[in-house]
């Protein structure tokens, strides 16, 4: 049901998401073990997957629907007793593939993707700066950093975001379908460019 | 990798920073770093770039992540639905009977099946239990989950709540016809049914066949009027900030009668006629 967008309310702080995650889960006590297991994996990975999907250019609502699809697929995967080794890489791989499909469909429908530049993290990054000058410098640095990220090849950007979500090189290679050796090469390339932000 | 003789490459330094070198390579890399200021400085630059990216990544994306409670409730409802569907497919006749109970059940089943086949054959074109009952003019209060799981639009809570007293839109004739066909009501009495939204547009329900079902006018207890009252109650709660939109959508689509009992605190519909 990828074409439908499930609404989960307006954007809210990650802290709220963490607070919710820390609440007791009494409501799942009657669910069968397999459903409980999938919900537990959802609790662990939902935020990370959604961040990854938003970095892909999906809106939060589209990303949320893709996350739902991922965990329904996981339920079917586990129910059919398919391999359980490295479910972390598995959920990211399914999310990645669904995101590619969703992004393609959104483009075909001439709808606007949420470009990564629309990600309004600027305030969060510079608010803590002590002086207006420091805030301005932070803002400019953010813009430069963003420009570097936007200029990276898609594969390099994906590697970087997956690494930031805690995946190992082997897992990243699995998700993106590249060789193990390609991952450190890609990361080194990206980090070298990010390192040059101050030189611009 | 000949770390002692030449400088470490950026790739080696990234592998080292991420703990991806083998034990032997790690020892050799550290040994080289101990004696090489150039590589140590480069390693520090790479780690600073990692830190910079992580601050950008988390600071930029975390504020966009909505609370998990609504999506979690929705997933739970969808999992329950998926589990129920797979149970029906894998064990259609798995009834926990034994001995004489099983014999009696088989006889009863044969008798009921015979009667239904004799009377239903001319009406029934569907394939689901709910469709079967509906096609036989048995008032049904539930949609068939396989046919009508519910579907929602991209409207936000703010958009929904800013609509002045929304009414369910009229369902286009072609779509009504498709709903009747899906439920096997081709030759039956479509006029005895209202094609209703499972998730009302007042709660973000979509004009989608997966969100439409034929609700019988003849249901004496759990009928369309009762469901309308639930929809009004849920919308008030969502717009009043007492219930999140996704939970309301999940509850009304998974079991609207249970949701009614929960939010009206009653096992029977409350009489709301003036």
């Amino acid at each position: 049901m990828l074409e439908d967008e499930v609404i989960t309310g307006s954007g809210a702080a990650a802290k709220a998401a963490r607070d919710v995650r820390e609440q007791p889960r009494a409501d799942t006590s009657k669910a069968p073990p397999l459903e409980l297991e999938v919900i537990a994996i959802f609790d662990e990975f939902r935020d990370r997957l959604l961040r990854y999907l938003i970095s892909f250019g999906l809106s939060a609502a589209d990303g949320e629907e893709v996350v739902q699809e991922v965990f329904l697929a996981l339920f079917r995967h586990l129910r059919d007793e398919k391999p359980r080794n490295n479910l972390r890489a598995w959920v990211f791989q399914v999310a990645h593939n669904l995101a590619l499909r969703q992004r393609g469909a959104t483009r075909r429908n001439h709808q606007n993707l949420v470009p990564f530049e629309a990600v309004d993290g600027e305030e969060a990054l510079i608010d803590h700066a002590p002086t207006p000058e420091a805030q301005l410098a932070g803002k400019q640095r953010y813009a430069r950093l963003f420009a570097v990220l936007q200029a990276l090849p898609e594969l390099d950007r994906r590697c970087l975001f997956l690494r930031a979500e805690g995946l190992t090189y082997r897992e990243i290679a699995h998700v993106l379908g590249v060789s193990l050796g390609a991952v450190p090469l890609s990361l080194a390339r990206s980090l070298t460019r990010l390192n040059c932000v101050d030189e611009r | 990798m000949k770390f002692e003789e030449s400088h470490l490459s950026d790739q080696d330094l990234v592998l080292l920073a991420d703990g991806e070198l083998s034990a032997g390579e790690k020892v050799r890399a550290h040994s080289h770093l101990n004696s090489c200021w150039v590589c140590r400085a480069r390693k520090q630059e790479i780690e600073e770039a990692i830190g910079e990216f992580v601050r950008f990544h988390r600071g930029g994306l975390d504020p966009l992540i909505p609370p998990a409670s609504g999506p979690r409730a929705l997933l739970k409802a969808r999992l329950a639905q998926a589990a129920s569907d797979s149970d029906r497919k894998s064990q259609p006749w798995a009834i926990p009977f034994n001995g004489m109970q099983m014999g009696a059940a088989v006889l009863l089943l044969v008798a009921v099946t015979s009667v239904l086949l004799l009377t239903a054959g001319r009406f029934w074109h569907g394939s689901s239990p709910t469709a079967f009952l509906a096609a036989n003019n048995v008032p049904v209060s539930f949609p068939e989950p396989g046919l009508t799981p519910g579907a929602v639009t991209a409207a936000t809570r703010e958009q929904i709540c800013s609509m002045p007293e929304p009414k369910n839109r009229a369902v286009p004739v072609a779509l009504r016809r498709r709903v009747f066909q899906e439920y096997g009501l081709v030759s039956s009495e479509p006029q005895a049914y209202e094609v209703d939204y499972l998730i009302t547009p007042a709660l973000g329900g979509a004009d989608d066949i997966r969100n439409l079902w034929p609700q019988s006018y003849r249901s004496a207890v759990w009928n369309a009027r009762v469901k309308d009252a639930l929809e009004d109650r849920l919308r008030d709660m969502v717009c009043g900030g007492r219930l999140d939109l996704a939970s309301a959508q999940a509850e009304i689509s998974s079991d609207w009668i249970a949701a009614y009992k929960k939010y009206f605190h009653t096992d029977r519909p409350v009489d709301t006629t003036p």
Side-chain angles (χ1 to χ4, degrees):
Chain A
M1 221 164 69
L2 277 173
E3 62 272 25
D4 293 325
E5 290 179 307
V6 173
I7 309 309
T8 54
S10 56
K15 182 180 177 304
R18 283 194 295 277
D19 289 345
V20 168
R21 205 168 48 213
E22 284 156 13
Q23 285 172 4
R25 297 300 188 196
D27 61 329
T28 52
S29 57
K30 291 176 188 168
L34 183 56
E35 288 161 61
L36 280 180
E37 186 182 357
V38 173
I39 291 285
I41 300 171
F42 172 87
D43 289 340
E44 188 177 349
F45 288 111
R46 178 261 186 179
D47 286 5
R48 286 197 248 177
L49 285 172
L50 193 50
R51 257 197 313 266
Y52 180 66
L53 293 165
I54 292 172
S55 81
F56 231 100
L58 266 58
S59 68
D62 279 346
E64 202 82 79
E65 184 57 24
V66 168
V67 171
Q68 295 274 322
E69 292 290 327
V70 168
F71 286 96
L72 288 170
L74 177 65
F75 173 79
R76 293 190 290 271
H77 179 86
L78 297 177
R79 182 197 61 197
D80 297 344
E81 298 178 349
K82 290 184 178 165
R84 286 171 163 270
N85 55 318
N86 206 345
L87 290 179
R88 177 167 68 171
W90 191 92
V91 294
F92 270 96
Q93 187 184 25
V94 174
H96 177 88
N97 293 339
L98 288 174
L100 284 176
R101 206 170 83 191
Q102 173 74 350
R103 198 166 62 171
T106 309
R107 281 179 177 158
R108 275 196 301 280
N109 292 335
H110 307 291
Q111 293 168 5
N112 290 329
L113 286 165
V114 177
F116 191 60
E117 56 263 44
V119 170
D120 190 17
E122 213 173 312
E123 296 302 319
L125 288 174
I126 59 174
D127 264 354
H128 62 277
T131 63
E133 291 77 19
Q135 285 187 8
L136 180 64
K139 206 167 186 170
Q140 288 169 342
R141 187 170 178 73
Y142 178 94
R144 288 198 299 270
L145 198 64
F146 175 77
V148 170
L149 276 174
Q150 283 300 94
L152 290 177
E154 174 81 11
L155 175 67
D156 290 356
R157 215 161 45 223
R158 294 294 108 232
C159 275
L160 207 50
F161 280 105
L162 285 171
R163 183 67 194 94
E165 296 303 342
L167 271 68
T168 64
Y169 289 8
R170 192 170 293 281
E171 289 168 339
I172 294 170
H174 182 72
V175 171
L176 299 177
V178 297
S179 71
L180 186 57
V183 177
L185 267 176
S186 161
L187 287 173
R189 204 160 45 222
S190 302
L191 291 170
T192 301
R193 292 193 188 178
L194 286 171
N195 203 234
C196 294
V197 164
D198 286 332
E199 294 165 16
R200 293 187 163 211
Chain B
M1 294 182 192
K2 295 177 179 176
F3 298 143
E4 275 92 7
E5 293 81 12
S6 58
H7 289 308
L8 299 175
S9 68
D10 282 357
Q11 191 184 342
D12 295 331
L13 289 168
V14 169
L15 285 159
L16 179 66
D18 280 338
E20 297 267 354
L21 287 179
S22 68
E25 288 169 341
K26 195 174 163 185
V27 169
R28 286 198 296 279
H30 278 301
S31 164
H32 178 85
L33 283 171
N34 286 340
S35 61
C36 181
W37 278 14
V38 174
C39 286
R40 258 160 52 201
R42 184 67 189 141
K43 178 173 177 278
Q44 193 177 340
E45 284 172 0
I46 285 177
E47 286 178 346
E48 281 168 5
I50 292 172
E52 188 86 83
F53 175 72
V54 167
R55 278 191 296 280
F56 174 89
H57 176 246
R58 302 304 291 260
L61 296 181
D62 276 0
L64 299 178
I65 308 294
S69 56
R72 188 178 192 275
L74 182 63
L75 177 65
K76 204 172 152 232
R78 285 176 166 176
L79 288 174
Q81 182 64 57
S84 144
D85 288 349
S86 70
D87 284 350
R88 275 205 298 273
K89 278 177 195 161
S90 62
Q91 297 178 307
W93 303 107
I95 305 167
F97 289 155
N98 58 31
M100 288 185 61
Q101 283 179 315
M102 178 61 88
V106 169
L107 283 175
L108 181 63
L109 185 64
V110 168
V112 169
T113 306
S114 304
V115 171
L116 289 176
L117 284 175
L118 283 171
T119 57
R122 64 202 166 98
F123 295 128
W124 187 42
H125 303 279
S127 56
S128 67
T130 312
F132 185 88
L133 293 172
N136 285 285
N137 298 324
V138 178
V140 176
S141 300
F142 277 108
E144 174 62 34
L147 299 175
T148 316
V152 296
T153 67
T156 62
R157 186 181 80 92
E158 289 70 25
Q159 288 168 332
I160 285 169
C161 295
S162 63
M163 288 191 290
E165 296 184 13
K167 301 289 180 196
N168 283 358
R169 293 181 288 273
V171 178
V173 174
L175 201 50
R176 281 171 58 87
R177 195 174 297 127
R178 278 181 59 205
V179 173
F180 284 131
Q181 280 173 350
E182 280 206 337
Y183 275 82
L185 294 169
V186 179
S187 306
S188 189
E189 299 178 72
Q191 67 276 17
Y193 295 86
E194 173 194 1
V195 173
D196 194 18
Y197 292 91
L198 178 57
I199 303 171
T200 172
L203 284 170
D207 284 326
D208 186 310
I209 194 159
R210 290 168 299 181
N211 192 39
L212 293 165
W213 64 296
Q215 188 168 22
S216 173
Y217 287 127
R218 288 197 301 273
S219 296
V221 183
W222 298 105
N223 55 35
R225 206 166 41 247
V226 179
K227 186 163 176 290
D228 288 346
L230 171 68
E231 290 165 356
D232 291 344
R233 172 71 55 96
L234 290 181
R235 188 169 185 278
D236 286 347
M237 293 179 72
V238 167
C239 295
R242 284 168 287 144
L243 180 66
D244 75 90
L245 181 58
S247 298
Q249 291 169 340
E251 291 197 68
I252 202 168
S253 60
S254 60
D255 186 346
W256 73 266
I257 293 178
Y260 184 96
K261 290 175 180 174
K262 178 178 171 185
Y263 291 107
F264 281 82
H265 309 291
T266 175
D267 280 338
R268 303 281 298 171
V270 178
D271 186 5
T272 54
T273 49

